[in-house]
Amino acid sequence: MNNLFPRLGVLSLLSTTTEEMGLVLPELLQAPNLYHLSLHGIGLSGGLSFLSSTISLSTLSLTHIRDSCYFFPGQLVTQLQGLPQLEELSIGIAIPIPPPSNERELLPALIPRVILPTLKRLTFRGEDIYLDNLVAQINTPLLDRLNLTLLFDIAFTLMNLTEFIHRTGFGCLVARVNFNKNGASIDAGYSERQRKLSLHVNCESLEWKIDSATQVCSALGKVSSAVEELTLDLDPGGMPSDWENTLDRMLWQELLLPFIGVKRLHIGSSLTLQLSQALESVAGGLAVLPELQELEVQLEIGHAKHAFSLFIGARESAGRPVHLTNRTKKRNAPMNCIEDAYGMANFLHTNLGFARDDIRVMTDENPWDLPTKENILGGMRALVYDAQPEDTFFFYFSGHGVQIKDTNGDDPDELDECSLLCLLGCLSNGISLGICAIDYIGNDPYPTDNTPGLVVDDVMHEILVRPLPLHCRLIAMFDSCHSGTALDLPYLYDSNGMVKPIAHPNKLWLLRLKASGAHVVSLSISRDSQGAFETDRGGALQRAFIETVRTFGDTLTYKALLRGLRDYMRRHGFPRRPQLSSSHEIDTDVLALLAPTVPSNHPYPVASHTMQDEFLSNAPSSSHVSRLARPRPNFPEA
């Protein structure tokens, strides 16, 4: 690679070696038109000097930085000032910060700070002292998102970060503090829909997590005190069974102390008892949450009044009344799509072996994961980002679908399928998502792929299928209207497992456009011309899928799966005919690849020689093409 690459625009390299001496980008490499550089576990030689020749960079990601490739904040900032088009910056330090040979190497420059005029997103993963020194040396007038993960720390010093957030203009009026298996997360922004700051602290014991969150919120000072609406929640999954009995209520009181401006407090169901006890013990004073006006809990109102009676009564006596409200789950969401998402998430974990932590469900019940069209598209990119051979992805959608006029000629019926409202996706190596589209208005008589809230099949194929490398697996399910070819896969099958003739007049063109060497299978409840069907227990396809998988167990083939789905509809009187499609012609008598792990002796389900084999054998490897073609994903937020 010690050459000039004048046409190279995207360079993404990943090293999985565990050796301390990591790989280094060749010193003589030149790519003057590079606009996207992503290095994971691979260093830059010559003190980051390579960046001085890449003035067109808009995305720079240097992650999993090892000891041999380490650079100090000042070195990085010096190079960043020569990148006038930089919009996204990601830095990840994989080691505890080494002691500087010179004290000035870590100290931030006094003034002037370096202005990064176009930077919109800053992501950091590492030790707090590195982060604090980095942000002390930069100004980012257009910064819209700050994603931080702090490692290796038991005490936090974030004075410079607080000033950085303040001068950047982040108006953090709404905040959420959440505790889960992996640590503590703090999210803040202008509103529930506009998160600006996401900060996660990796730690183990729950007491350590609460203490870390308390330290961070206290260190953020001005940011915490400006918050007017606060949510506290805890995910009990992965927590010790007796976690509620091991905590001192003082921990929760100390966590609340920095939030002196909070007017509305939302308490998750898991923390109701803990917070009621903590607030009860400070009921006589105003040191904790002195401006509180409304308290919302996920508890029946009678139980809520009893649990918080002392606190509510004391505030009433002090002339600071607090209005108590309760919030329960929405039970009548359209088509039960929210229940479908959670039901499928549970089935994927208990029956197919996806780890609970790898499953993420997003619904409009969670204000921090509001599923707009932009988030849907970003979530799809994140789902398959950095896909590797043998990875398994599972994507589930439950909701509404519509048809629009086909614009590129790939649909035989001249109509493109659009899916919206509720999705659930799962990834075997760490990420999963579920989305309810909330920005579809539905009053456009002639919707197009640019209509807000609509995600067209062409776009879904481009994002979910095209980037996948050879032998990567994706299973997609669409429990929605007009979903027969929702993923735009070229091969459809009948109940006997035989591939149907391709109806498109230009078969070779279609295969070149839509066939893939990855193993992609789509299941849908209906033909493109049909609507979906809802049962009183959720989407009909979900119910049929769960029953069929449980019935056949480890002997389930693709033919048996399709027959099982259709038999379920017939037995229950549902006038729908589920569809099976694939990215290449498959042998439907082979065991269905649904789980995240596949036996090493499992045959790859490719059918006998077809026209697609000629195309795929002459085409470039999809893994090479996708690595250079796809942009960095807009990851879904927690």
Side-chain angles (χ1 to χ4, degrees):
M1 295 181 68
N2 286 319
N3 291 304
L4 173 65
F5 295 87
R7 299 179 61 185
L8 183 63
V10 177
L11 179 59
S12 180
L13 299 175
L14 167 70
S15 172
T16 58
T17 179
T18 58
E19 298 178 3
E20 292 186 6
M21 294 299 295
L23 300 176
V24 177
L25 204 64
E27 189 170 356
L28 298 181
L29 171 67
Q30 298 180 59
N33 293 311
L34 193 68
Y35 62 87
H36 179 114
L37 175 61
S38 177
L39 302 179
H40 181 87
I42 298 175
L44 290 173
S45 59
L48 305 178
S49 60
F50 172 74
L51 298 179
S52 62
S53 63
T54 57
I55 61 174
S56 298
L57 271 183
S58 62
T59 299
L60 174 61
S61 177
L62 305 175
T63 57
H64 202 68
I65 299 168
R66 298 185 174 94
D67 194 4
S68 60
C69 305
Y70 180 83
F71 46 82
F72 287 99
Q75 294 175 293
L76 175 63
V77 172
T78 299
Q79 296 298 330
L80 292 180
Q81 63 183 335
L83 303 177
Q85 301 179 43
L86 188 65
E87 295 184 2
E88 296 189 24
L89 173 63
S90 298
I91 301 296
I93 312 294
I95 57 170
I97 191 168
S101 58
N102 184 327
E103 186 177 2
R104 292 185 178 181
E105 290 178 317
L106 263 184
L107 292 177
L110 297 178
I111 50 176
R113 297 184 180 94
V114 170
I115 298 177
L116 305 180
T118 58
L119 191 67
K120 297 179 181 179
R121 180 184 292 261
L122 173 59
T123 301
F124 175 83
R125 180 181 177 87
E127 205 166 344
D128 70 320
I129 188 172
Y130 192 107
L131 170 67
D132 215 41
N133 280 273
L134 173 62
V135 298
Q137 303 179 57
I138 59 176
N139 277 334
T140 55
L142 295 185
L143 193 69
D144 186 62
R145 192 58 196 266
L146 186 59
N147 298 319
L148 310 172
T149 301
L150 302 183
L151 311 172
F152 316 120
D153 291 307
I154 57 175
F156 300 90
T157 305
L158 300 171
M159 181 182 302
N160 293 326
L161 176 62
T162 303
E163 293 300 323
F164 174 75
I165 294 173
H166 182 68
R167 68 174 181 267
T168 301
F170 280 9
C172 296
L173 302 179
V174 177
R176 177 186 181 93
V177 181
N178 184 65
F179 303 95
N180 54 42
K181 178 181 178 181
N182 299 318
S185 298
I186 301 165
D187 299 296
Y190 287 120
S191 66
E192 293 176 343
R193 298 191 181 193
Q194 293 181 311
R195 282 182 300 166
K196 299 288 186 177
L197 168 67
S198 291
L199 191 154
H200 182 79
V201 182
N202 275 16
C203 43
E204 297 180 0
S205 71
L206 181 55
E207 186 172 347
W208 185 7
K209 295 169 186 175
I210 300 173
D211 180 66
S212 297
T214 299
Q215 288 190 56
V216 170
C217 292
S218 298
L220 289 178
K222 297 176 183 178
V223 178
S224 301
S225 63
V227 172
E228 297 182 358
E229 185 171 345
L230 175 65
T231 299
L232 298 179
D233 206 353
L234 180 144
D235 180 3
M239 298 291 181
S241 57
D242 61 342
W243 68 268
E244 293 181 286
N245 302 321
T246 60
L247 298 176
D248 187 338
R249 65 184 64 178
M250 285 291 294
L251 290 171
W252 300 111
Q253 296 169 12
E254 292 171 355
L255 174 61
L256 292 171
L257 280 174
F259 297 98
I260 59 176
V262 166
K263 298 177 181 178
R264 298 183 62 191
L265 175 64
H266 308 270
I267 301 176
S269 57
S270 300
L271 291 179
T272 301
L273 177 62
Q274 293 285 317
L275 269 297
S276 66
Q277 294 174 347
L279 293 176
E280 178 181 306
S281 61
V282 296
L286 296 175
V288 176
L289 304 176
E291 300 296 325
L292 188 65
Q293 299 175 8
E294 181 179 343
L295 175 62
E296 181 184 80
V297 297
Q298 295 182 19
L299 200 65
E300 293 298 330
I301 193 64
H303 296 297
K305 289 180 177 179
H306 176 75
F308 293 91
S309 59
L310 289 179
F311 175 73
I312 298 295
R315 287 298 172 95
E316 186 79 30
S317 300
R320 298 288 185 90
V322 174
H323 179 57
L324 181 65
T325 62
N326 72 321
R327 179 169 64 92
T328 57
K329 285 187 176 181
K330 303 174 186 177
R331 301 307 300 173
N332 296 313
M335 294 185 67
N336 291 322
C337 63
I338 294 175
E339 286 80 359
D340 289 347
Y342 285 110
M344 182 60 75
N346 184 64
F347 181 77
L348 291 172
H349 171 63
T350 57
N351 290 77
L352 294 184
F354 286 88
R356 182 75 69 181
D357 291 341
D358 291 347
I359 300 176
R360 183 177 180 184
V361 180
M362 297 173 64
T363 73
D364 60 357
E365 290 187 328
N366 184 355
W368 299 99
D369 283 329
L370 287 173
T372 62
K373 177 179 179 177
E374 178 183 359
N375 289 342
I376 290 176
L377 297 178
M380 288 179 174
R381 293 187 182 98
L383 181 65
V384 297
Y385 179 68
D386 200 32
Q388 302 295 319
E390 307 305 328
D391 278 352
T392 299
F393 301 81
F394 200 107
F395 180 90
Y396 173 73
F397 173 101
S398 174
H400 297 307
V402 298
Q403 288 184 316
I404 68 172
K405 183 69 176 178
D406 180 32
T407 57
N408 67 351
D410 65 327
D411 278 285
D413 56 7
E414 297 186 349
L415 294 171
D416 276 333
E417 284 63 51
C418 293
S419 295
L420 54 143
L421 197 61
C422 180
L423 298 91
L424 169 70
C426 298
L427 168 60
S428 64
N429 60 353
I431 188 171
S432 58
L433 53 141
I435 303 171
C436 294
I438 61 172
D439 53 349
Y440 175 64
I441 300 175
N443 59 0
D444 186 350
Y446 304 104
T448 69
D449 55 354
N450 294 320
T451 300
L454 293 186
V455 182
V456 186
D457 55 358
D458 298 331
V459 175
M460 287 192 284
H461 183 95
E462 185 70 23
I463 294 176
L464 289 175
V465 180
R466 187 172 293 276
L468 299 181
L470 191 68
H471 297 300
C472 183
R473 296 176 290 272
L474 167 65
I475 302 95
M477 286 181 59
F478 294 88
D479 215 344
S480 58
C481 303
H482 312 296
S483 57
T485 59
L487 208 54
D488 254 10
L489 303 179
Y491 293 94
L492 288 169
Y493 298 84
D494 60 25
S495 294
N496 295 319
M498 302 299 294
V499 67
K500 297 180 180 180
I502 296 178
H504 198 280
N506 193 335
K507 189 181 302 184
L508 181 59
W509 175 85
L510 180 68
L511 289 179
R512 288 184 178 276
L513 184 67
K514 299 298 183 180
S516 170
H519 180 61
V520 183
V521 170
S522 176
L523 299 168
S524 55
I525 187 174
S526 62
R527 298 187 180 97
D528 289 341
S529 59
Q530 291 182 316
F533 204 93
E534 175 75 3
T535 75
D536 58 358
R537 299 174 63 190
L541 182 64
Q542 182 209 50
R543 305 303 307 172
F545 177 79
I546 291 175
E547 178 183 289
T548 303
V549 173
R550 285 175 172 168
T551 299
F552 286 88
D554 295 337
T555 66
L556 182 67
T557 64
Y558 288 109
K559 182 192 297 184
L561 176 58
L562 180 58
R563 285 181 172 179
L565 298 178
R566 292 182 174 181
D567 182 62
Y568 180 94
M569 302 297 165
R570 180 186 57 77
R571 286 186 287 107
H572 289 81
F574 301 153
R576 295 295 177 268
R577 193 169 179 82
Q579 304 294 305
L580 170 67
S581 60
S582 66
S583 58
H584 56 78
E585 189 175 347
I586 62 175
D587 181 354
T588 55
D589 287 320
V590 169
L591 295 179
L593 303 177
L594 304 179
T597 57
V598 177
S600 58
N601 60 348
H602 191 289
Y604 193 64
V606 178
S608 58
H609 179 78
T610 64
M611 183 170 60
Q612 60 141 3
D613 299 327
E614 297 179 2
F615 162 63
L616 292 176
S617 63
N618 295 320
S621 167
S622 60
S623 61
H624 292 102
V625 173
S626 64
R627 291 278 182 263
L628 296 178
R630 59 186 176 181
R632 184 184 186 279
N634 176 20
F635 286 93
E637 307 298 342

